[in-house]
Amino acid sequence: MLHFLHKEKGIFSLLIALFFVSLLGLRVSASDVVVNSLDVHGINLEGLPYFEAEKVLSEEFDNFLSESVVFNLNGEIQTSALTELGFKFDSKATIQKVYSEVYGDGIVDHFGTRLKNFVFPANVKPVISLDQDVFVKKLREIYPKLQGAKDAVVFVNKEMEVEVIPHDHSVLIDFERVANNLLEQLVAGNVMNEVKLQTINDFAGYTLGDAQQDAEILKQFLAKEFTIKYSKYPEMISEYEVQISPAW
């Protein structure tokens, strides 16, 4: 009886050992290949080596971000490619997320993930970055009115005459909100047929009336004569009648 129990215990220990060896083997295989049922934007990467999966994703997202997005600014339609708007796919960061999802933090975690993915395929969101400065610059290029309001200007022309350039009220949009909303949609895998741009009024702070008043003050100042007294020695004093040059 003792012999039988000892033998049964040995078989059980062997089965446990084989179980953990198989777990280790499963995880080792996951270090080189996407062994789970996993997709990015609907692209199934299961069975692909990580370097091959990264290549597939790069090609797919190059095509995805080369698509144009349609903007509607109060009925004025313009289009621009997503890449021209500053969106960029990071293949290395994305494949690292895929690796982390597949490989897991440990043997048990990896095994649990594999069991779960038999029923629920894993979905990894792509890493897409956005250069806000490029986004704003491009939108202002296709919609010049989004340059914003311009203050009036008082200046002296080539003929040394005081001139005034009028102010210009304009409109703006919430560039950051529009850009972040679009980025969120792209990461989720949604392609927006049309992006409607909601404008807000942008008023000049320095208007034509202000500039004209200042121009008159400047003209009066430039018309005045000033006396400059210059003394090198107490007995030698020179006086000069001058006017302020507009070029100053």
Side-chain angles (χ1 to χ4, degrees):
M1 181 70 178
L2 289 174
H3 177 72
F4 177 77
L5 290 175
H6 180 74
K7 184 177 180 181
E8 188 177 65
K9 184 178 180 181
I11 293 173
F12 181 74
S13 298
L14 179 61
L15 290 174
I16 291 293
L18 288 174
F19 175 72
F20 278 101
V21 168
S22 65
L23 285 184
L24 181 61
L26 287 173
R27 193 162 191 248
V28 169
S29 65
S31 64
D32 297 315
V33 177
V34 183
V35 291
N36 292 15
S37 178
L38 180 147
D39 73 79
V40 180
H41 267 207
I43 306 166
N44 194 348
L45 304 176
E46 185 176 8
L48 294 178
Y50 291 104
F51 73 89
E52 186 67 31
E54 183 180 353
K55 182 180 177 182
V56 168
L57 290 177
S58 294
E59 291 175 352
E60 289 290 336
F61 277 90
D62 281 348
N63 293 331
F64 179 65
L65 295 181
S66 66
E67 295 292 327
S68 291
V69 60
V70 177
F71 293 103
N72 184 340
L73 180 67
N74 298 331
E76 183 182 348
I77 305 297
Q78 296 288 352
T79 61
S80 177
L82 290 165
T83 50
E84 294 177 345
L85 289 163
F87 292 98
K88 185 178 181 181
F89 172 65
D90 190 333
S91 63
K92 294 192 179 303
T94 302
I95 209 66
Q96 182 58 51
K97 287 179 66 177
V98 170
Y99 180 83
S100 297
E101 174 68 24
V102 173
Y103 195 64
D105 295 327
I107 295 176
V108 176
D109 177 62
H110 172 74
F111 186 63
T113 299
R114 294 193 70 168
L115 285 177
K116 180 187 69 176
N117 290 343
F118 275 122
V119 182
F120 305 105
N123 178 274
V124 172
K125 291 183 178 181
V127 179
I128 301 176
S129 62
L130 168 63
D131 189 322
Q132 290 274 0
D133 291 337
V134 173
F135 185 84
V136 173
K137 182 180 179 181
K138 185 60 182 178
L139 272 186
R140 282 178 165 164
E141 179 183 311
I142 62 178
Y143 289 113
K145 65 180 67 176
L146 295 180
Q147 294 294 336
K150 295 180 181 179
D151 287 337
V153 178
V154 179
F155 74 106
V156 176
N157 62 26
K158 293 181 180 179
E159 287 72 35
M160 294 298 141
E161 297 172 338
V162 177
E163 275 195 36
V164 172
I165 296 178
H167 68 274
D168 183 19
H169 296 314
S170 187
V171 293
L172 285 177
I173 62 171
D174 189 338
F175 289 102
E176 184 176 358
R177 184 184 63 81
V178 173
N180 289 336
N181 284 347
L182 186 51
L183 177 60
E184 186 178 313
Q185 294 296 322
L186 293 176
V187 169
N190 301 325
V191 178
M192 301 178 70
N193 294 327
E194 182 178 284
V195 178
K196 291 188 177 181
L197 303 175
Q198 185 69 39
T199 59
I200 52 178
N201 291 324
D202 187 36
F203 298 105
Y206 185 62
T207 62
L208 177 61
D210 299 325
Q212 288 174 333
Q213 290 179 12
D214 289 341
E216 288 303 316
I217 294 172
L218 178 58
K219 289 176 182 178
Q220 293 173 20
F221 180 73
L222 294 175
K224 289 184 178 180
E225 290 187 352
F226 298 87
T227 300
I228 296 178
K229 292 184 178 182
Y230 173 72
S231 173
K232 188 173 183 181
Y233 303 104
E235 65 277 7
M236 295 180 61
I237 299 177
S238 302
E239 293 187 1
Y240 302 93
E241 297 295 328
V242 298
Q243 285 181 289
I244 300 298
S245 169
W248 295 354

